[in-house]
């Protein structure tokens, strides 16, 4: 799943998530893919840097694909590759990369085997239309394949199918250094720790430090999350934050 050697240990691989579908923007369908993809990518060493949700509008899809493809190493796209008239993602991807689109013999063979030749109709054949030059993404759940064109991985919107496709995609692409994280709980509000955290952040510019307020036992509390690709630096920053909190706890409010 990962490229070998010391290069992988230090390389940063970036990605964006592109969600396509009117039903997501209307609220009719609650997206379950963004969080899954983001968590999955973090675990294997891919940094998700941006998420976009666009409607089933060809121009909007094309603009988003071109922008994200140019900016990031990978784009994970979900939605719009089914058999109905409003599934326009494949055509938009072809136009985004200025290639033709037609029934792909590989996809046709997969669908024919799955449904049986007598049951192949025009709607199902729509799912065999693949942009020229694209590689197919295996779909062990419902068989209709996704595809990868350049650095854009086009997957189904149905979560269980998308997840299977994501497994197939990430088995074939290089990943980078994994982001490590640690959480330090503080039984106080952000206001008491803000100045100290700011000072620690200046001492550790290579460590991301975020504070997340919450309610605990009827009072304010904060989770401080630290993230770094270097375990030694992460450990030092954690100790600094723990020291800050310990000092504040013995001070009068």
């Amino acid at each position: 799943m990962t490229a070998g050697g010391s290069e992988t240990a230090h390389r940063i691989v970036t990605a964006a998530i592109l969600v396509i579908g009117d039903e997501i923007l209307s609220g009719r369908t609650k997206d379950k893919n963004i969080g899954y993809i983001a968590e999955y990518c973090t675990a294997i060493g891919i940094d998700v840097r941006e998420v976009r949700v666009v409607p089933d509008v060809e121009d909007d899809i094309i603009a988003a694909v071109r922008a994200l493809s140019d900016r990031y190493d990978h784009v994970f796209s979900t939605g719009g590759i089914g058999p109905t008239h409003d599934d326009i993602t494949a055509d938009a991807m072809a136009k985004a990369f200025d290639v033709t689109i037609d029934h792909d013999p590989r996809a046709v063979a997969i669908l024919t085997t799955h449904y049986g030749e007598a049951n192949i109709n025009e709607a199902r054949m729509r799912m065999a239309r693949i942009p020229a030059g694209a590689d197919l993404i295996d779909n062990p759940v419902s068989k209709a394949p996704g595809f990868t064109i350049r650095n854009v991985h086009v997957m189904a919107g149905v979560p269980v199918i998308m997840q299977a496709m994501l497994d197939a995609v990430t088995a074939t692409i290089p990943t980078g250094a994994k982001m490590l994280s640690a959480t330090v709980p503080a039984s106080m509000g952000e206001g008491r720790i803000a100045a100290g955290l700011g000072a620690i952040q200046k001492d550790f510019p290579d460590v991301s430090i975020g504070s997340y307020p919450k309610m605990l036992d009827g009072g304010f509390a904060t989770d401080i999350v630290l993230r770094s690709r270097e375990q030694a630096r992460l450990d030092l920053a954690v100790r600094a934050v723990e020291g800050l909190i310990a000092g504040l706890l013995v001070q009068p409010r």
Side-chain angles (χ1 to χ4, degrees), residues 120-207:
I120 287 292
N121 55 33
E122 183 178 350
R124 286 171 174 164
M125 283 294 286
R126 279 181 59 82
M127 297 187 292
R129 298 178 70 253
I130 305 293
D135 294 320
L136 299 188
I137 299 174
D138 183 43
N139 172 7
V141 179
S142 60
K143 299 306 178 182
F147 59 88
T148 292
I149 179 168
R150 309 273 178 94
N151 62 337
V152 181
H153 312 289
V154 182
M155 302 177 291
V158 178
V160 67
I161 302 176
M162 186 284 298
Q163 292 167 19
M165 288 183 171
L166 187 62
D167 286 339
V169 168
T170 55
T172 66
I173 61 177
T175 56
K178 294 182 181 180
M179 184 67 74
L180 308 172
S181 68
T183 300
V184 180
S187 56
M188 60 189 72
E190 287 184 296
R192 291 187 65 191
I193 59 177
L197 281 183
I200 293 172
Q201 182 68 86
K202 289 181 180 179
D203 292 337
F204 293 90
D206 53 332
V207 179

Side-chain angles (χ1 to χ4, degrees), residues 107-117 120 143:
V108 171
I110 291 169
L111 294 175
T112 301
T113 299
H114 178 61
Y115 291 110
E117 189 167 351
I120 287 292
K143 299 306 178 182

Side-chain angles (χ1 to χ4, degrees), residues 49-79:
R49 298 283 180 85
E50 186 174 346
V51 175
R52 292 195 193 187
V53 184
V54 297
D56 294 308
V57 176
E58 189 175 82
D59 288 346
D60 291 355
I61 297 171
I62 292 170
V65 168
R66 288 175 174 171
L68 297 175
S69 177
D70 286 345
R71 187 170 184 180
Y72 303 106
D73 295 315
H74 299 283
V75 179
F76 297 103
S77 169
T78 70

Side-chain angles (χ1 to χ4, degrees), residues 188-229:
M188 60 189 72
E190 287 184 296
R192 291 187 65 191
I193 59 177
L197 281 183
I200 293 172
Q201 182 68 86
K202 289 181 180 179
D203 292 337
F204 293 90
D206 53 332
V207 179
S208 170
I209 303 175
S211 63
Y212 303 91
K214 62 182 183 181
M215 297 298 296
L216 182 65
D217 298 329
F220 291 107
T222 307
D223 281 337
I224 302 159
V225 179
L226 301 92
R227 304 172 72 236
S228 174
R229 288 186 166 83

Side-chain angles (χ1 to χ4, degrees), residues 58 62 66 89-101 131:
E58 189 175 82
I62 292 170
R66 288 175 174 171
T89 296
D91 291 275
M93 292 289 173
K95 291 182 179 180
F97 292 108
D98 296 317
V99 300
T100 59
I101 184 170

Side-chain angles (χ1 to χ4, degrees), residues 29-51:
T29 298
K30 306 299 186 289
D31 178 82
K32 297 181 179 179
N33 292 329
I34 294 173
Y36 184 92
I37 295 172
E39 186 174 15
Y40 190 110
C41 286
T42 297
I44 64 173
I46 297 176
D47 287 5
V48 174
R49 298 283 180 85
E50 186 174 346
V51 175

